[in-house]
Amino acid sequence: MSKFFSSKYSTLTPYTPGEQPKDMKYVKLNTNESPFPPSPKAQQRAAEALGKLQLYSDPDCTGLVNKLCEVYNIGKDEVLFTNGSDEILNFAFMAFCDKNNPAVFPDITYGFYPVFAELTGVPYEEIPLKEDYTIDVNDYIGVNKTVFIANPNAPTGIALSLSDIEKIVSSNPDNVVVIDEAYVDFGAESAVKLIKKYDNLLVTQTYSKSRSMAGARLGFGIGCRELINDLITVKYSTNPYNVNSMTIAAGTGALEDEAYTKANLQTIIANREYTVEKLEELGFTVLPSKANFVFAKQPDISGEKLYKELKARGVLIRHFTKERIRDYNRITIGTREQMDILLKNIQSILKEEQL
Ligand SMILES: *Cc1c(COP(=O)(O)O)cnc(C)c1O
């Protein structure tokens, strides 16, 4: 730390992204990316945008907003695009939290929430998940804090029902409830349909997982006009050109090709069910996942050892050191071939373990 770094950041611990090692080619099942490339339509639109890079990007993302509104059946003033959904989450901490409106989220959830809270100087409370890693909805009824819930949750993959989400939203009319739907397309129910009914609901989604565009950095938030306006104020006070023109174009192209996304989703969901079945045959406990990953543990090997042994064999998965979840690993669902490589390696690691 230099002597110039503001003391307000002296205790800030930044988010640790999943590793992207360059030493060899891995079967990469550690950061929940899609195993499939972006839609050809998205690639074509992005290529067309290259020749106009001398111009600033459209700060209102007009074409992209129009297309999304058509697909999601919402109004143009009910959506804001950002540089990944991490950015809109950061904006939400800036816009809707402060000393009088602390943040609240589960103890086991997306690791960026406490980082954003620290960065923005917002007090926060972490509510423990139940023993079975589910969220106890009652903990959030009338909490009078700004609520952040990932649905499905990360890294557990467990989803809440829409009626449970609605209970949380309706019981906190004086606070914003942010539902982070990064993984919603893989089988959970979206809360987008509730935004017309509740002025305190912000739903965030991303192109990083279901639309195969993690590297493009595109996310968005959907909520009532007033909430979106507040977020727009923060955006225009931070970086009006937060989404670049290639990404705006690619994002529009992806929405023109929803059939491609749907087909990939079906494949990934089928591969997830296949992987769960095979892991259970190998003695794993697998939490019920509605995401493009599974969270699993095996009684004969520690989470850390399995992670390390797999890495040595060229398969990357994600291990977290946090006490409550360190027996587990998070495994991204890839192609059937990738999952078979994973399973074959796990099988031989377990065999060695049992010698
Ligand atoms: C991946 C992820 C995000 C955001 O990803 P972006 O790439 O910034 O859109 C947000 N929330 C959760 C829970 C995630 O797993």
Side-chain angles (χ1 to χ4, degrees):
M1 197 187 307
S2 81
K3 65 181 181 186
F4 308 105
F5 199 37
S6 167
S7 61
K8 68 176 181 258
Y9 299 128
S10 59
T11 58
L12 181 64
T13 312
Y15 178 72
T16 319
E19 56 187 331
Q20 311 278 7
K22 314 282 184 294
D23 57 332
M24 60 176 270
K25 206 166 150 36
Y26 288 92
V27 174
K28 210 170 160 302
L29 305 175
N30 69 327
T31 50
N32 297 344
E33 290 143 325
S34 172
F36 305 113
S39 146
K41 194 88 205 174
Q43 297 190 41
Q44 179 203 329
R45 290 261 180 249
E48 287 164 10
L50 287 177
K52 295 185 195 142
L53 283 181
Q54 75 276 24
L55 304 174
Y56 278 109
S57 61
D58 172 8
D60 299 324
C61 303
T62 312
L64 179 56
V65 165
N66 290 345
K67 190 67 203 169
L68 187 94
C69 289
E70 199 183 301
V71 174
Y72 279 60
N73 194 25
I74 52 166
K76 290 174 190 168
D77 47 9
E78 292 170 331
V79 58
L80 175 66
F81 279 94
T82 52
N83 193 306
S85 60
D86 286 338
E87 185 174 56
I88 199 147
L89 291 166
N90 189 22
F91 286 175
F93 274 89
M94 292 163 84
F96 306 126
C97 301
D98 52 35
K99 298 245 161 1
N100 300 319
N101 299 281
V104 62
F105 38 82
D107 62 337
I108 308 295
T109 189
Y110 188 35
F112 227 136
Y113 302 155
V115 178
F116 286 138
E118 296 282 348
L119 178 72
T120 53
V122 166
Y124 62 95
E125 181 192 349
E126 295 177 295
I127 301 182
L129 294 179
K130 289 197 278 191
E131 200 54 39
D132 63 358
Y133 298 100
T134 58
I135 288 173
D136 188 341
V137 175
N138 295 320
D139 290 338
Y140 297 87
I141 302 294
V143 276
N144 281 319
K145 296 185 172 94
T146 304
V147 178
F148 289 82
I149 286 182
N151 191 42
N153 197 12
T156 64
I158 299 173
L160 281 179
S161 69
L162 190 59
S163 66
D164 280 343
I165 299 278
E166 184 162 10
K167 280 184 208 157
I168 296 170
V169 176
S170 66
S171 68
N172 288 288
D174 297 326
N175 287 91
V176 173
V177 175
V178 179
I179 304 297
D180 175 351
E181 295 188 346
Y183 301 104
V184 76
D185 296 330
F186 301 98
E189 267 179 292
S190 174
V192 166
K193 51 179 85 67
L194 298 179
I195 61 136
K196 309 253 186 221
K197 197 166 161 193
Y198 298 100
D199 66 1
N200 63 325
L201 171 64
L202 178 71
V203 179
T204 65
Q205 292 190 12
T206 176
Y207 276 63
S208 295
K209 281 91 188 207
S210 58
R211 291 197 171 88
S212 301
M213 283 177 42
R217 312 304 304 127
L218 187 61
F220 54 95
I222 295 179
C224 78
R225 183 163 53 96
E226 290 78 11
L227 282 190
I228 293 299
N229 255 329
D230 296 339
L231 294 163
I232 288 174
T233 301
V234 172
K235 162 185 149 132
Y236 276 84
S237 309
T238 311
N239 180 9
Y241 308 109
N242 57 339
V243 186
N244 74 71
S245 342
M246 288 172 293
T247 294
I248 293 175
T252 312
L255 289 176
E256 289 164 353
D257 198 0
E258 282 287 274
Y260 177 85
T261 300
K262 291 214 172 84
N264 287 342
L265 288 174
Q266 276 175 7
T267 305
I268 291 170
I269 291 169
N271 292 350
R272 179 183 72 207
E273 299 318 309
Y274 168 79
T275 306
V276 170
E277 194 185 309
K278 296 290 173 191
L279 286 174
E280 285 175 348
E281 282 172 22
L282 291 169
F284 279 81
T285 300
V286 188
L287 300 188
S289 171
K290 294 280 188 207
N292 66 338
F293 58 84
V294 292
F295 204 49
K297 68 170 178 182
Q298 215 284 355
D300 302 329
I301 188 166
S302 75
E304 190 183 12
K305 175 130 199 238
L306 179 62
Y307 155 77
K308 283 189 172 149
E309 292 291 332
L310 279 171
K311 185 171 177 184
R313 290 165 173 78
V315 180
L316 276 187
I317 60 175
R318 185 92 192 251
H319 181 252
F320 299 89
T321 50
K322 210 168 182 171
E323 166 81 40
R324 264 193 96 179
I325 52 172
R326 65 170 180 220
D327 292 342
Y328 285 78
N329 278 295
R330 193 193 67 191
I331 304 168
T332 302
I333 303 300
T335 61
R336 180 71 176 254
E337 294 69 32
Q338 289 178 311
M339 302 328 286
D340 281 332
I341 294 171
L342 166 91
L343 292 161
K344 209 172 79 208
N345 280 292
I346 290 179
Q347 208 165 10
S348 68
I349 292 165
L350 288 177
K351 208 165 270 165
E352 278 173 27
E353 241 359 58
Q354 284 149 0
L355 286 181

